[in-house]
Amino acid sequence: MPLTLQATRRDRRAPAGRSLSPIEYAPPRPRRRGNPLRTRRLALWLLTLALGVECAAAVLTSPALDIREVRLTGLPELLPVESDATREAVVLDSRANIVRASTRTTAAPLARLPWVERVDVTKRPPNRLEVRIVARRPAAVLAASDGRWEVDERGVLIRPAARSAGLPVIALAGPAEAELGHSPRSSGAAAGVAAASLARVPEPLHVRKIEVDPAGDLCLNMNDGVRIRLGQTEELSEKLALVRRIYKSNPTISADVQSIDLRCPEVPACAPRSAGEEASQSAARRTRRLQATRTTSESTATPNGQGSEQGRR
């Protein structure tokens, strides 16, 4: 059976002297028309995108959203010189847009100031920026051979201390090795700051001065004149808790006792204010009373009454 091939687009004309049969002739295919719905959707999407870009550009460049007011709060807790330096640290472009303004960029130079603990920056459209300063609160005065500074509860140096600061003093035997806005690198300073922090909570002790010797031993000088030797920072919380119990049981202990030794908190000792054999006997009685105070506190903390039995023994 002979094969019959259809004519291609290039071979639609019959050879000379011969005509194509209907079977051999292939009519041209009709041209496809685009989908009108799809075209309209594409045009609508492009128009929406262009409108969004135009609106974003208008918001980011509109003069109506330029920052015209910066409200700075928290300055009354600072010194006048520190307040002026804080205002100068707030740097903004005269035509800064409130949408494009970065809160981190605004807060960064303020957070580097030694008297600033935290900075909160809030945008208030259309034209206001609120900056709230949380100042560091001095908790003690760090006195060392290289200077005197006010420090907060974490030991960060805030500013040079005035003579009449009215705060407990942490007296170091050597240098503090610190700079403003940072904690001291000296181990003795860290021990003194830890003692000052623990002396404030849960019930504040009336400490006038905390001495730190070259070996790192701590000594509390109370407001009533009693010296309390704490030794190293081991068991520091337990030692200060014992000091609170001593003052709670005998608030007027300063009338009889000159110093208390808690370097070994299991066996506390004290020195009387007067000398002589009678004073030595009185000191021995007070020492036994201090030991009884510790034993009673431990027996109270022991469950099922076991501690009370040990206290009686």
Side-chain angles (χ1 to χ4, degrees):
M1 180 177 180
L3 296 176
T4 303
L5 300 177
Q6 292 183 350
T8 61
R9 291 184 179 180
R10 296 181 180 179
D11 193 20
R12 287 178 182 172
R13 294 183 180 181
R18 183 174 177 272
S19 61
L20 292 174
S21 63
I23 299 177
E24 295 176 340
Y25 176 73
R29 296 180 180 179
R31 298 180 61 182
R32 292 184 178 180
R33 297 181 179 180
N35 190 345
L37 181 59
R38 183 178 180 182
T39 303
R40 286 195 296 269
R41 288 179 178 176
L42 179 60
L44 182 61
W45 184 84
L46 292 176
L47 289 175
T48 304
L49 179 61
L51 181 61
V53 172
E54 186 69 20
C55 292
V59 169
L60 295 176
T61 59
S62 174
L65 296 177
D66 289 346
I67 298 176
R68 295 185 174 89
E69 179 185 1
V70 178
R71 182 172 296 179
L72 192 59
T73 59
L75 298 181
E77 300 181 9
L78 304 177
L79 299 177
V81 177
E82 296 171 349
S83 299
D84 296 339
T86 304
R87 292 189 183 93
E88 294 177 358
V90 181
V91 179
L92 288 175
D93 187 4
S94 59
R95 298 187 60 184
N97 187 278
I98 195 169
V99 179
R100 292 186 288 111
S102 173
T103 56
R104 292 185 178 180
T105 304
T106 305
L110 294 171
R112 288 193 291 266
L113 298 175
W115 52 81
V116 175
E117 181 178 2
R118 192 178 74 251
V119 183
D120 298 327
V121 181
T122 306
K123 297 179 180 180
R124 301 295 184 188
N127 308 109
R128 191 174 70 194
L129 194 68
E130 293 184 357
V131 182
R132 178 173 174 265
I133 300 295
V134 179
R136 298 186 187 274
R137 295 182 178 274
V141 172
L142 180 62
S145 60
D146 51 353
R148 290 169 55 92
W149 305 272
E150 293 181 4
V151 297
D152 64 359
E153 59 183 6
R154 295 185 299 175
V156 178
L157 274 64
I158 304 174
R159 61 179 67 90
R163 290 294 177 180
S164 58
L167 298 170
V169 178
I170 302 173
L172 301 182
E177 301 178 5
E179 57 184 6
L180 292 177
H182 300 276
S183 300
R185 294 183 294 272
S186 171
S187 58
V193 170
S197 300
L198 292 175
R200 286 192 301 271
V201 291
E203 297 177 2
L205 294 172
H206 301 290
V207 180
R208 178 176 55 87
K209 187 177 182 181
I210 301 176
E211 296 179 353
V212 186
D213 64 10
D217 288 345
L218 300 172
C219 180
L220 303 183
N221 292 266
M222 310 301 288
N223 287 343
D224 56 7
V226 177
R227 291 172 54 87
I228 303 177
R229 302 184 65 181
L230 300 178
Q232 297 292 318
T233 56
E234 288 79 6
E235 300 180 331
L236 185 57
S237 300
E238 291 77 5
K239 295 174 183 178
L240 293 176
L242 181 56
V243 173
R244 290 186 174 91
R245 289 195 294 268
I246 291 173
Y247 272 90
K248 186 175 182 180
S249 62
N250 189 5
T252 60
I253 193 173
S254 61
D256 302 323
V257 172
Q258 180 179 1
S259 64
I260 300 174
D261 192 343
L262 299 180
R263 288 176 294 180
C264 183
E266 291 79 9
V267 187
C270 66
R273 288 195 175 277
S274 58
E277 182 178 357
E278 182 180 356
S280 300
Q281 296 176 358
S282 178
R285 289 194 299 269
R286 294 188 187 93
T287 299
R288 288 193 295 270
R289 191 180 302 121
L290 292 176
Q291 295 175 356
T293 301
R294 177 175 178 82
T295 304
T296 304
S297 62
E298 291 179 350
S299 62
T300 304
T302 306
N304 300 328
Q306 297 178 1
S308 300
E309 183 178 355
Q310 293 178 0
R312 289 192 296 270
R313 292 179 182 177

